[in-house]
Amino acid sequence: MSDSIERFDQLALSDRLLGTLKDIGYEAPSPIQAATIPLLLEGHDLIGQAQTGTGKTAAFALPVLERLDLADRRPQALVLTPTRELAIQVAEAFQGYARHLPGFHVLPIYGGQSMGIQLRHLKRGVHVVVGTPGRVMDHLRRETLSLEALRTVVLDEADEMLRMGFIEDVDWILEQTPPERQIALFSATMPDPIRQVAHRHLRNPREVKIKASTATVETVRQRYCQVGAQHKLDALTRVLEVEDTDAVLIFVRTKIAATELAERLEARGYPSAALHGDMTQALRERTIEQLKNNGLDIVVATDVAARGLDVQRISHVINYDIPNDTEAYVHRIGRTARAGRAGDAILFVTPRELRMLRAIEKATRQPIERMQLPTPEAITGHRLTQFKQQVGEIFASQDLAFFQGVVAE
């Protein structure tokens, strides 16, 4: 069934959540989302085998939000994560997806943070708790976290919790949950101790296994550049200045971003066009034709709009926005190195996105080398080289005897 799901509005999600996904710029569900969201909405327990970076946070967060009773300020969902960083990340994702759900509250709880702050928030009332096993156990033993209204438990990166020695804590926490709750277990691998936890606590679970795509093109040179979000445009123009490019495909997350970036590049002297899902088919075809026929060198695209794009002269794919999942990254960089040619893929990463970068490396089993931004001196040197080359071409192609005589005099 998931094979036929190509849009989020096919997933029985409410208009409020669909509106949020549109605002964020998600255009199509990833394979794990298409496979698991319908099962979780139907109330099934679930075992999901998927790598980090496949979009699984949305796969469990959206069904949890869909089934919440916002009038009830008791915890209705508990998400267990192996690390405080992941707890914070998942809590922020919930907050982002719930932007059109007034009164929604999510609380990350983890060791190292003041217990007093957590107690105040719990007392005030939260709908979703995201926490590390140790701190969740502390609250349960103190009876400061009540699970009486709990509907859903999510075990995120269960194999990582096993590796860090938390699996017995997870077992104990699950024993404290109401018998009728739903459990979703996500893990990149499925070792025996994880299987045993699933066997003890899950009821007739549905299993979903998403195979990580590793089909990255070997002839693509992959590099990344760490850059703050506010400096991305300057970084992009520097890269365009010094890289020896033919045609360039730049990926962003949203349709609005595609239009805005194309306009900003135009203003800086780089003729560009946007390619996104709201364009008419005729305009899309014209843009691609211009790219193929040297009438256009830079296109700024969203993931969905670039599906199936096959233009042999694309020498560079630039990930201006890091993709939402590793599958999208593989598809993106596959747009270069066509027909046996070499290609370049450059990824802009903000400090907060380094975790996703590592997930991409792990999923593709290929290292991505770090690159430094071109210095002003390098840019000047490149411009001088180009100028010399142009002058040389003119000397070679035209009879300049008259002008040489004038110069000699």
Side-chain angles (χ1 to χ4, degrees):
M1 175 183 167
S2 63
D3 292 342
S4 61
I5 294 174
E6 295 180 352
R7 304 187 314 274
F8 279 105
D9 59 11
Q10 295 173 281
L11 289 172
L13 294 169
S14 65
D15 288 342
R16 287 192 293 187
L17 286 180
L18 290 173
T20 298
L21 294 171
K22 190 173 182 183
D23 292 347
I24 294 171
Y26 286 10
E27 293 187 291
S30 69
I32 188 77
Q33 292 160 6
T36 60
I37 289 174
L39 296 173
L40 291 174
L41 286 173
E42 288 167 9
H44 296 287
D45 281 7
L46 177 83
I47 296 173
Q49 196 169 341
Q51 301 288 335
T52 300
T54 48
K56 60 181 167 50
T57 303
F60 61 75
L62 294 171
V64 163
L65 291 169
E66 191 63 71
R67 301 173 71 204
L68 282 182
D69 176 4
L70 290 172
D72 187 346
R73 296 287 287 270
R74 296 174 297 173
Q76 295 166 51
L78 172 65
V79 182
L80 295 177
T81 66
T83 65
R84 58 176 288 176
E85 291 77 19
L86 186 56
I88 294 166
Q89 190 177 313
V90 170
E92 287 177 347
F94 266 100
Q95 199 68 59
Y97 299 139
R99 65 174 66 175
H100 293 313
L101 302 180
F104 169 77
H105 290 283
V106 59
L107 176 67
I109 59 175
Y110 46 85
Q113 186 193 41
S114 159
M115 185 67 94
I117 293 172
Q118 295 173 6
L119 291 172
R120 273 200 307 277
H121 282 287
L122 286 168
K123 208 168 183 180
R124 202 178 299 152
V126 296
H127 299 101
V128 176
V129 172
V130 185
T132 52
R135 186 49 69 99
V136 170
M137 285 176 74
D138 286 347
H139 281 287
L140 289 172
R141 285 180 172 140
R142 290 171 179 233
E143 298 185 353
T144 48
L145 172 61
S146 167
L147 301 182
E148 61 184 7
L150 198 70
R151 298 181 181 187
T152 308
V153 182
V154 178
L155 309 181
D156 194 10
E157 298 196 3
D159 53 351
E160 196 64 16
M161 288 196 273
L162 171 67
R163 190 186 66 79
M164 295 174 71
F166 293 144
I167 208 68
E168 289 179 3
D169 297 347
V170 170
D171 220 6
W172 185 87
I173 291 166
L174 290 175
E175 286 171 3
Q176 317 308 310
T177 60
E180 66 281 1
R181 80 285 182 251
Q182 177 189 41
I183 300 179
L185 184 155
F186 289 91
S187 191
T189 58
M190 209 55 67
D192 284 343
I194 303 287
R195 284 265 173 214
Q196 288 162 16
V197 167
H199 182 70
R200 276 196 297 277
H201 298 285
L202 277 67
R203 299 165 300 172
N204 303 317
R206 300 295 182 89
E207 291 205 33
V208 171
K209 186 172 182 178
I210 302 297
K211 191 177 178 189
S213 177
T214 56
T216 51
V217 187
E218 289 180 9
T219 49
V220 178
R221 181 189 181 193
Q222 298 177 64
R223 292 173 286 167
Y224 79 93
C225 182
Q226 191 172 326
V227 59
Q230 70 274 30
H231 301 305
K232 278 188 184 180
L233 183 59
D234 286 334
L236 177 61
T237 50
R238 283 201 207 182
V239 167
L240 292 173
E241 186 85 48
V242 301
E243 289 285 316
D244 290 319
T245 63
D246 189 356
V248 181
L249 186 58
I250 302 171
F251 279 100
V252 292
R253 284 202 191 101
T254 70
K255 301 167 192 173
I256 295 169
T259 303
E260 284 182 355
L261 183 57
E263 289 172 353
R264 293 174 79 181
L265 285 171
E266 284 271 0
R268 291 189 174 211
Y270 295 94
S272 312
L275 195 66
H276 56 71
D278 282 350
M279 293 168 65
T280 63
Q281 187 61 23
L283 183 55
R284 182 178 188 277
E285 286 173 4
R286 188 159 76 245
T287 302
I288 294 170
E289 203 56 37
Q290 284 180 306
L291 192 64
K292 283 181 177 176
N293 299 330
N294 300 323
L296 182 66
D297 292 334
I298 301 174
V299 166
V300 186
T302 58
D303 289 305
V304 168
R307 269 191 193 161
L309 185 66
D310 189 0
V311 178
Q312 290 188 16
R313 63 181 289 260
I314 293 174
S315 63
H316 285 64
V317 167
I318 298 178
N319 291 276
Y320 189 81
D321 292 332
I322 198 165
N324 293 312
D325 56 78
T326 53
E327 200 79 18
Y329 176 81
V330 172
H331 284 302
R332 286 179 178 191
I333 71 167
R335 300 306 105 209
T336 185
R338 311 297 278 186
R341 297 175 65 184
D344 278 88
I346 296 172
L347 174 65
F348 287 172
V349 183
T350 65
R352 295 185 66 183
E353 294 167 340
L354 287 171
R355 182 184 172 87
M356 186 64 183
L357 171 71
R358 302 300 167 221
I360 289 170
E361 287 184 317
K362 191 175 176 183
T364 59
R365 299 194 185 98
Q366 288 183 305
I368 302 175
E369 64 178 283
R370 181 163 187 171
M371 67 179 283
Q372 298 299 327
L373 275 181
T375 61
E377 292 76 19
I379 292 169
T380 303
H382 188 76
R383 286 175 180 166
L384 195 56
T385 302
Q386 283 185 316
F387 177 68
K388 287 177 182 175
Q389 191 178 338
Q390 286 174 327
V391 171
E393 286 171 359
I394 291 169
F395 266 105
S397 63
Q398 296 182 28
D399 181 9
L400 301 173
F402 169 76
F403 296 104
Q404 285 171 326
V406 172
V407 170
E409 286 178 19

